[in-house]
Amino acid sequence: VSADEFSRLATDIGLELLPHLAGTPRTSVAVTVQINADTPDGFSEKVLKTVSQNAAELKAEKSEFQE
């Protein structure tokens, strides 16, 4: 998925789903985002550092890379 596609999807969820759910009395709503990215050559140190720093800045609960 491209960044633009994700952005549109997140906007659609925020406009078309969440208000209906959150508008229901005594309702707790949580949204979870999981990103999986695979590359046969591995990610560069620059990409790993940037993604890790950005995830921390966004207060991601978990950010990890597997080899």
Side-chain angles (χ1 to χ4, degrees), residues 1 33-39 43 64-66:
V1 67
V33 176
Q34 179 176 327
I35 300 171
N36 297 315
D38 297 307
T39 179
F43 292 101
E64 64 184 17
F65 293 91
Q66 298 175 348

Side-chain angles (χ1 to χ4, degrees), residues 2-44:
S2 71
D4 288 338
E5 289 171 315
F6 177 76
S7 192
R8 281 191 297 274
L9 178 59
T11 297
D12 289 345
I13 290 169
L15 293 173
E16 304 298 335
L17 301 178
L18 297 181
H20 301 286
L21 296 168
T24 302
R26 298 184 306 197
T27 298
S28 174
V29 178
V31 176
T32 303
V33 176
Q34 179 176 327
I35 300 171
N36 297 315
D38 297 307
T39 179
D41 300 324
F43 292 101
S44 69

